[in-house]
């Protein structure tokens, strides 16, 4: 059976991720309930408001099932998704899934007026990084592997099966990072 | 019109992040904190909610700066604020203040009866109201990065928001089946730029996110406009004019996520108290309609 990739569809730009997955050759399933989570092999947590997602996750008793999911299966978080994956969140402090050894500061560049499109180096290849009210990774633990930086800060980080981006690869025409995440799913299934 | 400029992509990008969410009107920092705790994706800072503007009358302007500042420091979610239609100086002030989105809103008393703000000229993104596709496309041509239905603000009556979202969606569908020469004629009818009409004909949707506002008072109202095609909702008087703002705010957030799931909508609708009082639109004198402001 074809591996199933889900996108957490509580709030945020989950449709943009579904389009990016389509460009990378995968079909996305929207995930809103425990039953949805049980039917997938990998999950993307999209951009959006991390506080809104946290409230909905708590209200639907999805926090523990998601933590358990992350013990076995790959998760890719962008922006708000990266905030949810981090072990420590600041500005202000808030709960998270704590699946990656990261300290992340919310709205680290400032407000919308400070949002920007930057050109970063992605493993030797130029890539566009769309930062929108983006967080900044202030500390990446020893188990993490930094794949890209901007202004000296890590912006694309992996830890084992998980992947986190503080920018929005789903908002560019490029599907390289989604393809990379799908390759992690394939190695997780091997 | 070029949607691929970095500036426009960033403006639309923030609107993308708000999809599936609820943007709540708040008049002070305490309300903003309640909204954030309930799961609001953003708050809209204003001096009086539309129901009070309607009741008290007088000229409704941009909020006091101190109120907006207090709200911006009280919450970590995006903060929007309203300016009067055409009042580009109020907009400049809010841009310098650093609000995340500006609503050029018919809820406030218009400052200019002929011109809307040239929104391309700003770094801060704008949302504008619309009752039909032509109005939506004119606002996008001026640089709006998000469209919302006008509905009838402060009425507690969903009928106008339903009319507006149905009209916009229907007019978009109609464009998708027309030939090239017919689109030129439609652009004339819609009083909208041809290239935007062509975009909608090709994609079947607006080039910016399409949200709904104006009269949403219950979780069922939010789910209704989302099922009709809205991608997120604004709730004005509906929350803080109800008997149970906190519970209602949470319930509407839940309804915006599970808008296609009737069992979840039942859960969201239980244990709510009185909704805000509603007004019958046909009983409102024409001069009191807010939706006819702007063109």
């Amino acid at each position: 059976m074809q591996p199933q990739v889900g996108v957490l569809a509580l709030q945020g730009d989950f449709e943009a991720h579904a389009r990016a997955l389509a460009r990378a050759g995968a079909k996305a399933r929207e995930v809103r309930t425990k039953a949805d989570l049980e039917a997938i092999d990998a999950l993307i947590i999209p951009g959006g408001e991390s506080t809104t997602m946290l409230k909905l996750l708590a209200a639907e008793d999805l926090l523990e099932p998601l933590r358990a999911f992350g013990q076995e299966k790959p998760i890719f978080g962008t922006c708000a998704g990266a905030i949810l994956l981090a072990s420590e969140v600041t500005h202000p402090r808030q709960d998270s899934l704590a699946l990656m050894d990261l300290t992340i500061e919310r709205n680290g560049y400032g407000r919308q007026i400070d949002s920007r499109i930057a050109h970063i180096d992605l493993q030797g290849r130029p890539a566009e990084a769309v930062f929108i009210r983006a967080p900044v990774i202030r500390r990446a633990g020893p188990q993490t592997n930094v794949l890209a930086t901007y202004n000296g800060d890590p912006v694309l980080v992996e830890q084992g099966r998980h992947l986190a981006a503080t920018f929005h690869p789903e908002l560019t025409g490029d599907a390289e990072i989604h393809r990379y995440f799908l390759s992690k799913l394939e190695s997780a299934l091997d | 019109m070029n949607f691929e400029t970095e500036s426009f992509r960033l403006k639309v990008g923030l609107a993308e992040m708000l999809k599936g969410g609820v943007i709540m009107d708040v008049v002070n920092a305490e309300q903003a904190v309640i909204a954030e705790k309930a799961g609001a994706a953003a708050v809209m800072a204003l001096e009086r909610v539309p129901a009070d503007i309607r009741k008290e009358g007088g000229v409704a302007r941009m909020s006091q700066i101190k109120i907006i500042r207090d709200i911006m420091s009280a919450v970590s979610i995006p903060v929007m604020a309203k300016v009067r239609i055409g009042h580009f100086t109020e907009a400049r002030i809010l841009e310098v203040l650093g609000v995340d989105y500006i609503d050029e809103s018919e809820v406030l008393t218009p400052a200019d009866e002929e011109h809307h703000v040239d929104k391309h000229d700003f770094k801060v993104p704008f949302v504008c109201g619309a009752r039909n596709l032509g109005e939506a496309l004119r606002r996008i041509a001026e640089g709006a990065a998000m469209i919302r239905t006008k509905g009838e603000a402060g009425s507690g009556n969903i009928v106008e928001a339903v009319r507006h979202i149905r009209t916009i969606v229907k007019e978009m569908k109609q464009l998708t089946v027309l030939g090239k020469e017919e689109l030129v004629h439609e652009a004339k009818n819609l009083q909208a730029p041809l290239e935007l009409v062509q975009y909608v004909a090709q994609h079947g949707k607006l080039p910016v996110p399409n949200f709904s506002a104006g009269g949403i008072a219950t979780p069922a109202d939010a789910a209704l406009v989302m099922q009709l095609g809205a991608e997120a909702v604004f709730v004005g008087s509906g929350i803080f004019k109800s008997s149970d703002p906190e519970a209602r705010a949470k319930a509407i957030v839940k309804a915006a996520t599970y808008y296609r799931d009737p069992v979840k909508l039942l859960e969201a609708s239980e244990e709510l108290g009185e909704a805000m009082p509603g007004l019958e639109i046909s009983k409102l004198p024409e001069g009191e309609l807010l939706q006819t402001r702007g063109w």
Side-chain angles (χ1 to χ4, degrees):
Chain A
M1 206 179 115
Q2 186 87 355
Q4 300 289 323
V5 185
V7 182
L8 191 67
L10 299 177
Q11 193 272 321
D13 73 334
F14 49 88
E15 283 174 353
H17 271 289
R19 289 192 293 272
L21 280 171
R23 286 196 292 274
K27 201 171 167 294
R29 292 174 67 134
E30 292 187 355
V31 173
R32 292 186 179 84
T33 64
K34 260 180 254 181
D36 294 338
L37 196 58
E38 281 159 13
I40 57 166
D41 303 299
L43 179 71
I44 292 180
I45 306 180
E49 281 310 311
S50 60
T51 52
T52 303
M53 291 184 205
L54 268 178
K55 304 296 170 197
L56 286 160
L57 287 171
E60 297 303 312
D61 291 322
L62 277 170
L63 277 170
E64 281 313 317
L66 254 186
R67 285 189 183 111
F69 181 94
Q71 295 303 325
E72 292 175 2
K73 294 173 180 173
I75 302 182
F76 173 26
T78 64
C79 196
I83 294 169
L84 288 180
L85 285 172
S87 51
E88 187 183 22
V89 184
T90 65
H91 189 236
R93 294 202 167 271
Q94 65 186 38
D95 196 11
S96 64
L97 300 171
L99 289 165
M100 294 178 75
D101 187 14
L102 301 171
T103 300
I104 198 163
E105 180 188 340
R106 291 185 57 209
N107 301 323
Y109 299 98
R111 307 193 70 95
Q112 172 64 11
I113 210 100
D114 307 297
S115 291
R116 66 197 70 182
I117 296 179
H119 300 272
I120 60 168
D121 177 80
L122 191 63
Q123 309 282 296
R125 204 176 62 87
E128 218 181 22
V130 182
F131 293 95
I132 294 175
R133 284 174 50 93
V136 175
I137 294 171
R138 294 296 179 198
R139 184 192 61 84
Q143 296 164 45
T144 63
N145 179 26
V146 175
L147 298 171
T149 61
Y150 165 64
N151 280 354
D153 295 311
V155 292
L156 182 66
V157 180
E158 65 184 343
Q159 180 177 341
R161 63 185 86 81
H162 304 313
L163 182 65
T166 59
F167 57 97
H168 295 280
E170 73 278 15
L171 295 184
T172 56
D174 193 357
E176 197 52 41
I177 297 173
H178 285 77
R179 245 178 253 122
Y180 181 67
F181 179 61
L182 293 174
S183 75
K184 290 173 95 65
L185 165 61
E186 278 155 29
S187 45
L189 290 177
D190 283 341
Chain B
M1 171 184 171
N2 186 4
F3 301 115
E4 295 305 315
T5 65
E6 291 196 354
S7 163
F8 200 72
R9 285 173 63 200
L10 288 169
K11 291 171 174 180
V12 171
L14 180 55
E16 291 284 338
M17 298 310 142
L18 297 170
K19 282 186 176 176
V22 183
I23 301 139
M24 302 183 190
D25 275 5
V26 297
V27 300
N28 56 42
E30 293 79 64
Q31 289 188 354
V33 169
I34 292 173
E36 182 178 50
K37 279 193 180 148
V43 290
M44 174 76 71
L46 72 176
E47 210 160 27
R48 295 177 282 170
V49 294
D52 288 334
I53 292 173
R54 190 177 282 290
K55 211 182 312 167
E56 294 158 13
V59 173
R61 309 181 181 92
M62 173 182 80
S63 275
Q64 286 173 45
I65 297 304
K66 185 185 179 311
I67 294 177
I68 305 175
R69 260 194 212 285
D70 285 351
I71 292 170
M72 285 167 65
S73 50
V75 296
S76 62
I77 54 178
V79 175
M80 304 186 178
K82 288 183 192 288
V83 299
R84 285 177 266 179
I85 289 173
H87 207 316
F88 54 85
T89 314
E90 283 187 346
R92 279 293 173 218
I93 292 169
L94 291 184
E95 183 179 47
V96 170
L97 179 62
V99 301
D100 298 296
Y101 240 96
I102 293 178
D103 185 359
E104 186 183 16
S105 177
E106 69 284 359
V107 168
L108 306 186
T109 312
D112 189 322
E113 296 191 328
E114 283 180 4
H115 311 96
H116 283 251
V117 173
D118 171 21
K119 294 164 276 284
H120 286 297
D121 198 34
F122 287 77
K123 198 174 177 207
V124 61
F126 279 75
V127 51
C128 287
R131 288 164 298 169
N132 52 52
L133 183 59
E135 202 173 357
L137 296 182
R138 288 192 291 280
R139 296 296 85 77
I140 295 167
E142 292 158 359
M146 181 201 297
I147 292 295
R148 55 168 177 77
T149 61
K150 285 179 168 174
E152 186 56 33
S155 70
N157 189 338
I158 195 68
V159 67
E160 295 303 305
V162 166
R163 189 192 320 281
H164 299 161
I165 193 81
R166 276 208 186 268
T167 302
I168 292 171
V169 169
K170 185 177 80 181
E171 289 176 332
M172 291 197 294
K173 276 188 202 156
Q174 286 169 340
L175 289 186
T176 63
V177 298
L178 296 183
K180 279 183 188 161
E181 69 284 11
E182 291 173 301
L183 293 178
V184 178
H185 182 68
E186 262 328 286
K188 189 180 91 183
N189 286 343
L190 291 166
Q191 297 180 55
L194 177 61
E195 55 183 330
L196 288 177
V197 171
Q198 288 167 332
Y199 180 96
V200 173
Q202 193 188 335
H203 297 88
K205 60 189 198 65
L206 298 178
V208 305
N210 187 12
F211 293 5
S212 187
I216 295 164
T218 68
D221 288 346
L224 176 65
V225 288
M226 290 192 64
Q227 288 197 36
L228 291 175
E231 296 171 299
V233 295
F234 287 79
V235 185
S237 321
I239 289 169
F240 290 99
K241 283 287 158 188
S242 73
S243 64
D244 49 5
E246 223 171 314
R248 188 161 295 264
K250 267 189 204 156
I252 294 178
V253 168
K254 181 166 175 167
T257 294
Y258 297 99
Y259 67 97
R260 279 184 297 225
D261 184 339
V263 175
K264 295 278 188 198
L265 293 176
L266 169 64
E267 288 169 19
S269 306
E270 290 212 68
E271 291 171 32
L272 287 182
E274 288 280 311
M276 68 176 284
L279 299 171
E280 200 180 318
I281 307 295
S282 60
K283 301 267 166 68
L284 292 175
E286 202 151 311
E288 286 182 18
L289 287 179
L290 301 177
Q291 60 178 280
T292 51
R293 296 167 165 182
W295 34 93

